Amino acid sequence: MLSYQLQSAIKDLESLISLSQEDIMDIREAKHNPQFERLAIKEEKIKSFEQKKAMIDREISKLMTAHPSKPLSDLLDNEQHQQLDSLKEHLSALREINQQYAKMVLSVGAFYNTLLERVVPTQMEGYQKVASSEASFLEVRA
């Protein structure tokens, strides 16, 4: 059961890595709609991974409770050790890819915000930003 959950969690991580790599390629080409379309899929994969991780934690906890005098390394077989190592590697790879993607998202967001501020200048009125009088060129004339 533990091996199955580990393998299944690794597959979820591989899928998340692949989806994140697609997001990076799309943001480079300014294809924003495919990224938004993948959000639901990514959220589903994240929930699935979290559930599988909770099951893995429970299985390991059961093993340790059943054999309190043995260290965890003695309770798992070689395949399970390899799967845990692979899980760690995939988590690390996903973290790196997500950091790269986050930097790109922040850069694109800053670019659009700066562009918008130049096209429609705003000023603060209390806690709200409102278009300044300099933005009057955007009036619609009939």
Side-chain angles (χ1 to χ4, degrees):
M1 181 70 168
L2 178 60
S3 293
Y4 171 78
Q5 293 301 333
L6 286 166
Q7 192 60 39
S8 187
I10 291 168
K11 286 181 184 176
D12 283 346
L13 289 175
E14 288 171 346
S15 179
L16 283 167
I17 289 169
S18 175
L19 290 167
S20 295
Q21 288 170 333
E22 288 178 40
D23 286 345
I24 288 172
M25 290 186 314
D26 285 343
I27 201 169
R28 285 182 178 157
E29 297 176 9
K31 295 179 182 175
H32 305 296
N33 286 337
Q35 294 176 62
F36 296 130
E37 292 168 1
R38 281 192 289 272
L39 279 177
I41 297 167
K42 287 173 80 172
E43 288 173 358
E44 180 182 316
K45 290 291 181 185
I46 290 169
K47 286 180 186 176
S48 174
F49 172 76
E50 288 173 344
Q51 291 171 346
K52 290 169 186 164
K53 186 187 172 303
M55 288 183 208
I56 291 167
D57 290 344
R58 274 187 246 125
E59 289 295 321
I60 290 175
S61 180
K62 283 181 190 176
L63 283 172
M64 293 184 77
T65 303
H67 308 283
S69 61
K70 290 186 178 180
L72 180 61
S73 58
D74 291 345
L75 297 175
L76 303 177
D77 61 28
N78 286 338
E79 180 185 355
Q80 291 168 335
H81 281 289
Q82 290 173 350
Q83 288 172 329
L84 280 172
D85 289 341
S86 178
L87 187 69
K88 289 176 191 175
E89 290 170 10
H90 281 84
L91 280 169
S92 179
L94 180 62
R95 181 178 174 264
E96 289 176 26
I97 289 168
N98 281 337
Q99 284 178 336
Q100 181 183 3
Y101 180 63
K103 288 176 186 176
M104 295 174 89
V105 167
L106 289 174
S107 296
V108 169
F111 168 75
Y112 280 119
N113 287 335
T114 302
L115 183 63
L116 181 61
E117 183 64 33
R118 287 185 182 168
V119 173
V120 184
T122 58
Q123 55 192 25
M124 294 298 290
E125 282 188 12
Y127 291 106
Q128 293 183 331
K129 276 190 173 185
V130 295
S132 67
S133 59
E134 298 172 20
S136 61
F137 71 91
L138 293 175
E139 283 182 19
V140 177
R141 296 181 187 171

